[in-house]
Amino acid sequence: MTNSTAKEEILGRIRNAQKIAFSGKDLASSAGVVTGTPGEHFAVPRDYERTSDMPREEVISLADERIADYKADVRRCSAEPAEINEAVKKAVADAGAKIVGIPSGLDKAWVSGLDEGKGEIRVDEGLGVRDLDALDAIVTSSAVTCAETGTIFLDGSPACGRRALTLVPDVHICVVPADSVVYGIPESISRLRDADPTVPITMISGPSATSDIELNRVEGVHGPRTLMVIIAG
């Protein structure tokens, strides 16, 4: 089929649909689509899978696997603040970061000692673009993580930080509490109900990357080039 023939077929289908619509026929009902009554509440069917009975340890392992599939550096530790602190210190050292930014509400025990020696911690209380660009890395927490897709959600809370903080610096070290990891997207979204509706939700599926027309992967285009995830618990 040539482009010209395909175009004529598509336009023909549009004209036919318009003709049927103008004749007063209800296309939705004839197709088995329930449209509801204009102006009235429509009860959306929720018959899809909303939870999972997968054992917790398997959910955590799946999250570990899926996040790593995106070329993120995934590490594990216990939920003890001291162990999280050690894991964060090692991640910062491995990244070669000296100036580390953190959101104002991050648990300070997680980053204790990072400012010793030549290191420096800068708390984001409205840092400008140049100040954000000067950061070698950032350390944040996370709101919820979907194991099925390997997606980490940041809700703009004081522990997750504002969107600019997580997009400008080149290295993002994200602490994922194990008890915030769920199996699927529906459960992830339900966990975000208490998030501030005026703040954009940031969904992270690996380091920033894209592909050109030749399918050559390019990293660090519109966000951190390196994502290091610490699953705590």
Side-chain angles (χ1 to χ4, degrees):
M1 180 182 291
T2 64
N3 289 338
S4 177
T5 304
K7 179 180 178 180
E8 287 302 318
E9 181 177 341
I10 293 171
L11 291 175
R13 291 182 182 181
I14 294 173
R15 296 188 190 98
N16 185 55
Q18 289 177 329
K19 181 179 179 180
I20 294 174
F22 287 136
S23 68
K25 293 183 180 180
D26 186 348
L27 295 177
S29 296
S30 62
V33 178
V34 179
T35 59
T37 303
E40 296 183 7
H41 174 72
F42 182 78
V44 178
R46 305 289 184 184
D47 53 354
Y48 50 83
E49 183 180 273
R50 302 177 67 181
T51 58
S52 171
D53 56 3
M54 179 181 288
R56 284 298 302 163
E57 188 53 43
E58 290 186 23
V59 171
I60 303 300
S61 296
L62 179 63
D64 186 328
E65 176 186 326
R66 294 290 166 83
I67 296 171
D69 280 345
Y70 290 120
K71 295 188 176 181
D73 182 345
V74 185
R75 307 174 180 205
R76 299 283 296 273
C77 72
S78 77
E80 293 296 323
E83 289 209 23
I84 295 176
N85 176 255
E86 287 302 316
V88 169
K89 281 182 177 179
K90 188 173 190 316
V92 169
D94 290 346
K98 299 298 182 183
I99 304 175
V100 180
I102 63 171
S104 60
L106 189 73
D107 189 335
K108 299 304 187 292
W110 293 0
V111 293
S112 175
L114 286 181
D115 53 355
E116 296 176 356
K118 297 182 180 180
E120 180 183 349
I121 296 177
R122 294 183 183 177
V123 180
D124 179 29
E125 295 178 338
L127 295 174
V129 175
R130 291 184 182 276
D131 294 322
L132 291 173
D133 191 47
L135 300 176
D136 297 320
I138 57 166
V139 179
T140 75
S141 186
S142 56
V144 63
T145 294
C146 174
E148 184 179 27
T149 62
T151 303
I152 301 169
F153 292 75
L154 307 181
D155 62 358
S157 64
C160 292
R162 60 192 177 111
R163 192 176 179 87
L165 177 67
T166 60
L167 290 182
V168 178
D170 197 49
V171 178
H172 184 181
I173 300 169
C174 186
V175 178
V176 172
D179 59 8
S180 70
V181 179
V182 297
Y183 176 74
I185 289 293
E187 193 173 354
S188 301
I189 298 300
S190 67
R191 288 272 189 118
L192 295 170
R193 286 176 179 168
D194 296 330
D196 183 349
T198 65
V199 175
I201 299 296
T202 303
M203 292 175 282
I204 304 171
S205 295
S208 167
T210 189
S211 297
D212 61 19
I213 196 169
E214 299 295 333
L215 300 182
N216 294 313
R217 181 182 172 91
V218 180
E219 298 180 355
V221 177
H222 44 69
R225 196 189 318 269
T226 302
L227 174 64
M228 305 173 82
V229 178
I230 300 171
I231 301 178

